[in-house]
mmCIF file of all heavy atoms in Angstrom:
data_model
loop_
_atom_site.group_PDB
_atom_site.id
_atom_site.type_symbol
_atom_site.label_atom_id
_atom_site.label_comp_id
_atom_site.label_asym_id
_atom_site.label_seq_id
_atom_site.Cartn_x
_atom_site.Cartn_y
_atom_site.Cartn_z
ATOM 1 N N SER A 1 3.496 13.092 -2.738
ATOM 2 C CA SER A 1 4.214 11.845 -2.790
ATOM 3 C C SER A 1 4.146 11.183 -1.406
ATOM 4 O O SER A 1 3.910 11.833 -0.380
ATOM 5 C CB SER A 1 5.704 12.050 -3.182
ATOM 6 O OG SER A 1 6.321 12.934 -2.241
ATOM 7 N N ALA A 2 4.488 9.930 -1.421
ATOM 8 C CA ALA A 2 4.467 9.096 -0.228
ATOM 9 C C ALA A 2 5.700 9.316 0.537
ATOM 10 O O ALA A 2 6.817 9.612 -0.011
ATOM 11 C CB ALA A 2 4.288 7.621 -0.563
ATOM 12 N N GLU A 3 5.636 9.219 1.909
ATOM 13 C CA GLU A 3 6.841 9.294 2.698
ATOM 14 C C GLU A 3 7.516 7.846 2.635
ATOM 15 O O GLU A 3 8.763 7.812 2.781
ATOM 16 C CB GLU A 3 6.484 9.627 4.144
ATOM 17 C CG GLU A 3 5.892 11.019 4.343
ATOM 18 C CD GLU A 3 5.346 11.244 5.729
ATOM 19 O OE1 GLU A 3 5.410 10.296 6.578
ATOM 20 O OE2 GLU A 3 4.885 12.359 5.944
ATOM 21 N N ARG A 4 6.739 6.918 2.669
ATOM 22 C CA ARG A 4 7.270 5.521 2.672
ATOM 23 C C ARG A 4 6.407 4.573 1.869
ATOM 24 O O ARG A 4 5.168 4.672 1.976
ATOM 25 C CB ARG A 4 7.450 5.025 4.150
ATOM 26 C CG ARG A 4 8.091 3.611 4.329
ATOM 27 C CD ARG A 4 8.339 3.330 5.796
ATOM 28 N NE ARG A 4 9.539 4.072 6.324
ATOM 29 C CZ ARG A 4 9.411 5.007 7.303
ATOM 30 N NH1 ARG A 4 8.239 5.204 7.818
ATOM 31 N NH2 ARG A 4 10.478 5.580 7.736
ATOM 32 N N ILE A 5 7.031 3.677 1.087
ATOM 33 C CA ILE A 5 6.271 2.661 0.333
ATOM 34 C C ILE A 5 6.829 1.306 0.645
ATOM 35 O O ILE A 5 8.025 1.103 0.636
ATOM 36 C CB ILE A 5 6.383 3.023 -1.235
ATOM 37 C CG1 ILE A 5 5.617 4.275 -1.593
ATOM 38 C CG2 ILE A 5 5.882 1.780 -2.041
ATOM 39 C CD1 ILE A 5 5.779 4.629 -2.965
ATOM 40 N N PHE A 6 5.937 0.457 0.836
ATOM 41 C CA PHE A 6 6.308 -1.005 1.103
ATOM 42 C C PHE A 6 5.896 -1.797 -0.120
ATOM 43 O O PHE A 6 4.801 -1.752 -0.562
ATOM 44 C CB PHE A 6 5.564 -1.531 2.372
ATOM 45 C CG PHE A 6 5.958 -0.822 3.637
ATOM 46 C CD1 PHE A 6 5.278 0.328 4.012
ATOM 47 C CD2 PHE A 6 6.894 -1.405 4.481
ATOM 48 C CE1 PHE A 6 5.579 0.978 5.192
ATOM 49 C CE2 PHE A 6 7.227 -0.718 5.660
ATOM 50 C CZ PHE A 6 6.599 0.463 5.983
ATOM 51 N N THR A 7 6.871 -2.579 -0.652
ATOM 52 C CA THR A 7 6.539 -3.418 -1.805
ATOM 53 C C THR A 7 7.558 -4.557 -1.804
ATOM 54 O O THR A 7 8.505 -4.639 -0.997
ATOM 55 C CB THR A 7 6.759 -2.612 -3.069
ATOM 56 O OG1 THR A 7 6.230 -3.375 -4.206
ATOM 57 C CG2 THR A 7 8.181 -2.138 -3.368
ATOM 58 N N GLY A 8 7.271 -5.612 -2.684
ATOM 59 C CA GLY A 8 8.146 -6.707 -2.757
ATOM 60 C C GLY A 8 7.738 -7.916 -1.879
ATOM 61 O O GLY A 8 8.521 -8.813 -1.755
ATOM 62 N N GLY A 9 6.541 -7.848 -1.391
ATOM 63 C CA GLY A 9 6.049 -8.977 -0.597
ATOM 64 C C GLY A 9 4.517 -8.858 -0.433
ATOM 65 O O GLY A 9 3.980 -7.880 -0.685
ATOM 66 N N PRO A 10 3.899 -9.911 -0.042
ATOM 67 C CA PRO A 10 2.488 -9.909 0.148
ATOM 68 C C PRO A 10 1.978 -8.846 1.209
ATOM 69 O O PRO A 10 2.564 -8.825 2.329
ATOM 70 C CB PRO A 10 2.033 -11.280 0.531
ATOM 71 C CG PRO A 10 3.220 -11.887 1.162
ATOM 72 C CD PRO A 10 4.429 -11.226 0.480
ATOM 73 N N VAL A 11 0.963 -8.170 0.983
ATOM 74 C CA VAL A 11 0.385 -7.199 1.874
ATOM 75 C C VAL A 11 -0.955 -7.814 2.296
ATOM 76 O O VAL A 11 -1.905 -7.873 1.464
ATOM 77 C CB VAL A 11 0.136 -5.798 1.317
ATOM 78 C CG1 VAL A 11 -0.486 -4.853 2.267
ATOM 79 C CG2 VAL A 11 1.492 -5.221 0.830
ATOM 80 N N LEU A 12 -1.035 -8.275 3.539
ATOM 81 C CA LEU A 12 -2.283 -8.957 4.002
ATOM 82 C C LEU A 12 -3.046 -7.920 4.784
ATOM 83 O O LEU A 12 -2.687 -7.569 5.901
ATOM 84 C CB LEU A 12 -1.847 -10.182 4.952
ATOM 85 C CG LEU A 12 -0.880 -11.230 4.315
ATOM 86 C CD1 LEU A 12 -0.702 -12.310 5.235
ATOM 87 C CD2 LEU A 12 -1.269 -11.614 2.869
ATOM 88 N N THR A 13 -4.196 -7.486 4.195
ATOM 89 C CA THR A 13 -4.867 -6.317 4.753
ATOM 90 C C THR A 13 -5.892 -6.545 5.798
ATOM 91 O O THR A 13 -6.224 -5.589 6.548
ATOM 92 C CB THR A 13 -5.540 -5.531 3.573
ATOM 93 O OG1 THR A 13 -6.683 -6.376 3.117
ATOM 94 C CG2 THR A 13 -4.657 -5.316 2.350
ATOM 95 N N MET A 14 -6.416 -7.739 5.950
ATOM 96 C CA MET A 14 -7.540 -8.010 6.893
ATOM 97 C C MET A 14 -8.783 -7.258 6.448
ATOM 98 O O MET A 14 -9.729 -7.283 7.260
ATOM 99 C CB MET A 14 -7.146 -7.764 8.340
ATOM 100 C CG MET A 14 -5.927 -8.433 8.826
ATOM 101 S SD MET A 14 -5.988 -10.252 8.766
ATOM 102 C CE MET A 14 -4.254 -10.591 8.306
ATOM 103 N N ASP A 15 -8.838 -6.785 5.188
ATOM 104 C CA ASP A 15 -9.917 -6.057 4.660
ATOM 105 C C ASP A 15 -10.658 -7.037 3.764
ATOM 106 O O ASP A 15 -10.129 -7.443 2.759
ATOM 107 C CB ASP A 15 -9.462 -4.817 3.977
ATOM 108 C CG ASP A 15 -10.608 -4.014 3.394
ATOM 109 O OD1 ASP A 15 -11.783 -4.472 3.497
ATOM 110 O OD2 ASP A 15 -10.325 -2.917 2.838
ATOM 111 N N ASP A 16 -11.877 -7.525 4.076
ATOM 112 C CA ASP A 16 -12.577 -8.450 3.244
ATOM 113 C C ASP A 16 -12.817 -7.928 1.823
ATOM 114 O O ASP A 16 -12.910 -8.704 0.836
ATOM 115 C CB ASP A 16 -13.997 -8.746 3.866
ATOM 116 C CG ASP A 16 -13.818 -9.582 5.032
ATOM 117 O OD1 ASP A 16 -12.769 -10.264 5.218
ATOM 118 O OD2 ASP A 16 -14.744 -9.548 5.981
ATOM 119 N N ALA A 17 -12.842 -6.609 1.596
ATOM 120 C CA ALA A 17 -13.094 -6.031 0.273
ATOM 121 C C ALA A 17 -11.896 -6.203 -0.578
ATOM 122 O O ALA A 17 -12.032 -6.255 -1.846
ATOM 123 C CB ALA A 17 -13.442 -4.629 0.433
ATOM 124 N N ALA A 18 -10.695 -6.268 -0.024
ATOM 125 C CA ALA A 18 -9.452 -6.489 -0.783
ATOM 126 C C ALA A 18 -8.407 -7.064 0.166
ATOM 127 O O ALA A 18 -7.515 -6.424 0.723
ATOM 128 C CB ALA A 18 -8.980 -5.101 -1.341
ATOM 129 N N PRO A 19 -8.513 -8.390 0.321
ATOM 130 C CA PRO A 19 -7.664 -9.088 1.372
ATOM 131 C C PRO A 19 -6.197 -9.075 1.106
ATOM 132 O O PRO A 19 -5.446 -9.248 2.074
ATOM 133 C CB PRO A 19 -8.270 -10.495 1.400
ATOM 134 C CG PRO A 19 -8.998 -10.656 0.103
ATOM 135 C CD PRO A 19 -9.429 -9.335 -0.256
ATOM 136 N N GLU A 20 -5.781 -8.969 -0.068
ATOM 137 C CA GLU A 20 -4.284 -8.947 -0.383
ATOM 138 C C GLU A 20 -3.942 -7.932 -1.433
ATOM 139 O O GLU A 20 -4.707 -7.584 -2.331
ATOM 140 C CB GLU A 20 -3.852 -10.309 -0.833
ATOM 141 C CG GLU A 20 -2.390 -10.470 -1.030
ATOM 142 C CD GLU A 20 -2.004 -11.934 -1.348
ATOM 143 O OE1 GLU A 20 -2.809 -12.810 -1.250
ATOM 144 O OE2 GLU A 20 -0.768 -12.144 -1.607
ATOM 145 N N ALA A 21 -2.767 -7.357 -1.271
ATOM 146 C CA ALA A 21 -2.348 -6.310 -2.131
ATOM 147 C C ALA A 21 -0.766 -6.519 -2.414
ATOM 148 O O ALA A 21 -0.119 -7.366 -1.720
ATOM 149 C CB ALA A 21 -2.556 -4.910 -1.649
ATOM 150 N N GLU A 22 -0.244 -5.778 -3.323
ATOM 151 C CA GLU A 22 1.178 -5.856 -3.655
ATOM 152 C C GLU A 22 2.047 -4.799 -3.009
ATOM 153 O O GLU A 22 3.210 -4.978 -2.899
ATOM 154 C CB GLU A 22 1.320 -5.795 -5.213
ATOM 155 C CG GLU A 22 0.734 -6.918 -5.993
ATOM 156 C CD GLU A 22 0.796 -6.742 -7.442
ATOM 157 O OE1 GLU A 22 1.069 -5.606 -7.926
ATOM 158 O OE2 GLU A 22 0.611 -7.743 -8.152
ATOM 159 N N ALA A 23 1.395 -3.700 -2.658
ATOM 160 C CA ALA A 23 2.205 -2.594 -2.059
ATOM 161 C C ALA A 23 1.370 -1.644 -1.295
ATOM 162 O O ALA A 23 0.051 -1.672 -1.372
ATOM 163 C CB ALA A 23 2.882 -1.724 -3.210
ATOM 164 N N LEU A 24 1.991 -0.788 -0.438
ATOM 165 C CA LEU A 24 1.248 0.105 0.451
ATOM 166 C C LEU A 24 2.089 1.377 0.578
ATOM 167 O O LEU A 24 3.304 1.303 0.749
ATOM 168 C CB LEU A 24 1.014 -0.584 1.784
ATOM 169 C CG LEU A 24 0.293 0.270 2.857
ATOM 170 C CD1 LEU A 24 -0.705 -0.642 3.669
ATOM 171 C CD2 LEU A 24 1.309 0.894 3.853
ATOM 172 N N ALA A 25 1.393 2.573 0.616
ATOM 173 C CA ALA A 25 2.095 3.764 0.708
ATOM 174 C C ALA A 25 1.567 4.545 1.996
ATOM 175 O O ALA A 25 0.368 4.510 2.328
ATOM 176 C CB ALA A 25 1.898 4.671 -0.491
ATOM 177 N N VAL A 26 2.473 5.323 2.586
ATOM 178 C CA VAL A 26 2.140 6.030 3.833
ATOM 179 C C VAL A 26 2.601 7.493 3.723
ATOM 180 O O VAL A 26 3.582 7.776 3.138
ATOM 181 C CB VAL A 26 2.944 5.366 4.995
ATOM 182 C CG1 VAL A 26 2.785 6.211 6.328
ATOM 183 C CG2 VAL A 26 2.560 3.943 5.186
ATOM 184 N N ARG A 27 1.759 8.405 4.338
ATOM 185 C CA ARG A 27 2.122 9.755 4.409
ATOM 186 C C ARG A 27 1.354 10.316 5.656
ATOM 187 O O ARG A 27 0.183 10.074 5.827
ATOM 188 C CB ARG A 27 1.778 10.562 3.176
ATOM 189 C CG ARG A 27 2.166 12.095 3.314
ATOM 190 C CD ARG A 27 1.938 12.826 2.019
ATOM 191 N NE ARG A 27 0.480 12.964 1.675
ATOM 192 C CZ ARG A 27 -0.054 12.442 0.603
ATOM 193 N NH1 ARG A 27 0.693 11.818 -0.313
ATOM 194 N NH2 ARG A 27 -1.363 12.607 0.376
ATOM 195 N N GLY A 28 1.972 11.033 6.431
ATOM 196 C CA GLY A 28 1.444 11.763 7.592
ATOM 197 C C GLY A 28 0.820 10.757 8.559
ATOM 198 O O GLY A 28 -0.143 11.133 9.255
ATOM 199 N N GLY A 29 1.355 9.601 8.723
ATOM 200 C CA GLY A 29 0.839 8.608 9.664
ATOM 201 C C GLY A 29 -0.272 7.768 9.117
ATOM 202 O O GLY A 29 -0.807 6.925 9.851
ATOM 203 N N GLU A 30 -0.771 8.086 7.891
ATOM 204 C CA GLU A 30 -1.980 7.358 7.356
ATOM 205 C C GLU A 30 -1.554 6.554 6.142
ATOM 206 O O GLU A 30 -0.529 6.874 5.408
ATOM 207 C CB GLU A 30 -3.038 8.368 6.934
ATOM 208 C CG GLU A 30 -3.762 9.010 8.158
ATOM 209 C CD GLU A 30 -4.938 9.815 7.688
ATOM 210 O OE1 GLU A 30 -5.215 9.901 6.492
ATOM 211 O OE2 GLU A 30 -5.635 10.372 8.585
ATOM 212 N N ILE A 31 -2.372 5.553 5.862
ATOM 213 C CA ILE A 31 -2.197 4.777 4.563
ATOM 214 C C ILE A 31 -2.870 5.611 3.459
ATOM 215 O O ILE A 31 -4.065 6.002 3.584
ATOM 216 C CB ILE A 31 -2.944 3.489 4.699
ATOM 217 C CG1 ILE A 31 -2.235 2.611 5.819
ATOM 218 C CG2 ILE A 31 -2.852 2.706 3.309
ATOM 219 C CD1 ILE A 31 -3.023 1.384 6.202
ATOM 220 N N ILE A 32 -2.152 6.041 2.461
ATOM 221 C CA ILE A 32 -2.669 6.792 1.353
ATOM 222 C C ILE A 32 -2.907 5.929 0.085
ATOM 223 O O ILE A 32 -3.587 6.424 -0.820
ATOM 224 C CB ILE A 32 -1.701 7.961 1.058
ATOM 225 C CG1 ILE A 32 -0.344 7.508 0.542
ATOM 226 C CG2 ILE A 32 -1.630 8.905 2.187
ATOM 227 C CD1 ILE A 32 0.500 8.620 -0.035
ATOM 228 N N ALA A 33 -2.400 4.722 0.109
ATOM 229 C CA ALA A 33 -2.619 3.883 -1.031
ATOM 230 C C ALA A 33 -2.351 2.451 -0.611
ATOM 231 O O ALA A 33 -1.313 2.154 0.064
ATOM 232 C CB ALA A 33 -1.884 4.267 -2.255
ATOM 233 N N VAL A 34 -3.106 1.520 -1.166
ATOM 234 C CA VAL A 34 -2.815 0.108 -0.986
ATOM 235 C C VAL A 34 -3.427 -0.581 -2.182
ATOM 236 O O VAL A 34 -4.546 -0.421 -2.568
ATOM 237 C CB VAL A 34 -3.383 -0.507 0.315
ATOM 238 C CG1 VAL A 34 -4.850 -0.229 0.498
ATOM 239 C CG2 VAL A 34 -3.024 -1.930 0.454
ATOM 240 N N GLY A 35 -2.612 -1.399 -2.870
ATOM 241 C CA GLY A 35 -3.050 -2.042 -4.188
ATOM 242 C C GLY A 35 -1.932 -2.596 -4.970
ATOM 243 O O GLY A 35 -0.924 -3.113 -4.467
ATOM 244 N N ARG A 36 -2.042 -2.405 -6.292
ATOM 245 C CA ARG A 36 -1.062 -2.977 -7.286
ATOM 246 C C ARG A 36 0.252 -2.133 -7.068
ATOM 247 O O ARG A 36 0.204 -0.970 -6.807
ATOM 248 C CB ARG A 36 -1.598 -2.800 -8.659
ATOM 249 C CG ARG A 36 -2.748 -3.693 -8.911
ATOM 250 C CD ARG A 36 -3.340 -3.442 -10.366
ATOM 251 N NE ARG A 36 -2.253 -3.690 -11.379
ATOM 252 C CZ ARG A 36 -1.841 -2.742 -12.191
ATOM 253 N NH1 ARG A 36 -2.182 -1.444 -12.077
ATOM 254 N NH2 ARG A 36 -0.930 -3.063 -13.156
ATOM 255 N N ALA A 37 1.346 -2.839 -7.224
ATOM 256 C CA ALA A 37 2.704 -2.159 -7.018
ATOM 257 C C ALA A 37 2.764 -1.043 -7.987
ATOM 258 O O ALA A 37 3.323 -0.006 -7.543
ATOM 259 C CB ALA A 37 3.766 -3.210 -7.207
ATOM 260 N N ALA A 38 2.478 -1.208 -9.208
ATOM 261 C CA ALA A 38 2.641 -0.167 -10.209
ATOM 262 C C ALA A 38 1.936 1.106 -9.818
ATOM 263 O O ALA A 38 2.486 2.250 -9.905
ATOM 264 C CB ALA A 38 2.239 -0.579 -11.534
ATOM 265 N N ASP A 39 0.747 0.919 -9.330
ATOM 266 C CA ASP A 39 -0.107 2.152 -8.933
ATOM 267 C C ASP A 39 0.490 2.764 -7.681
ATOM 268 O O ASP A 39 0.531 4.013 -7.616
ATOM 269 C CB ASP A 39 -1.549 1.716 -8.665
ATOM 270 C CG ASP A 39 -2.261 1.105 -9.926
ATOM 271 O OD1 ASP A 39 -1.857 1.481 -10.998
ATOM 272 O OD2 ASP A 39 -3.160 0.349 -9.677
ATOM 273 N N VAL A 40 0.841 1.997 -6.706
ATOM 274 C CA VAL A 40 1.361 2.618 -5.452
ATOM 275 C C VAL A 40 2.776 3.276 -5.677
ATOM 276 O O VAL A 40 3.022 4.336 -5.240
ATOM 277 C CB VAL A 40 1.445 1.428 -4.378
ATOM 278 C CG1 VAL A 40 2.127 2.071 -3.120
ATOM 279 C CG2 VAL A 40 0.077 0.941 -4.048
ATOM 280 N N LEU A 41 3.604 2.589 -6.498
ATOM 281 C CA LEU A 41 4.889 3.206 -6.773
ATOM 282 C C LEU A 41 4.799 4.438 -7.599
ATOM 283 O O LEU A 41 5.736 5.281 -7.602
ATOM 284 C CB LEU A 41 5.780 2.183 -7.524
ATOM 285 C CG LEU A 41 6.351 1.062 -6.654
ATOM 286 C CD1 LEU A 41 6.938 -0.051 -7.470
ATOM 287 C CD2 LEU A 41 7.344 1.624 -5.603
ATOM 288 N N ALA A 42 3.648 4.756 -8.193
ATOM 289 C CA ALA A 42 3.504 6.027 -8.873
ATOM 290 C C ALA A 42 3.500 7.194 -7.930
ATOM 291 O O ALA A 42 3.622 8.428 -8.274
ATOM 292 C CB ALA A 42 2.197 5.982 -9.646
ATOM 293 N N LEU A 43 3.343 6.937 -6.621
ATOM 294 C CA LEU A 43 3.350 7.951 -5.612
ATOM 295 C C LEU A 43 4.756 8.254 -5.083
ATOM 296 O O LEU A 43 4.890 9.018 -4.110
ATOM 297 C CB LEU A 43 2.432 7.514 -4.357
ATOM 298 C CG LEU A 43 0.977 7.377 -4.781
ATOM 299 C CD1 LEU A 43 0.219 6.773 -3.515
ATOM 300 C CD2 LEU A 43 0.321 8.738 -5.122
#
């Protein structure tokens, strides 16, 4: 599971492959998921 999940606002990634997301999850100092809120909240 994630240590921290951010959701409820735009996630501007600066990644040309996926420039915007709905949520982001963190564990161990790393990003473990970034994408649709439903998928990220599953963590």
Side-chain angles (χ1 to χ4, degrees):
S1 63
E3 295 171 1
R4 186 174 282 117
I5 292 175
F6 297 84
T7 189
V11 178
L12 310 184
T13 68
M14 305 300 143
D15 181 356
D16 289 338
E20 186 171 352
E22 296 177 342
L24 178 143
V26 176
R27 183 176 63 241
E30 290 188 356
I31 298 169
I32 62 170
V34 56
R36 294 175 58 246
D39 297 334
V40 174
L41 286 168
L43 297 172

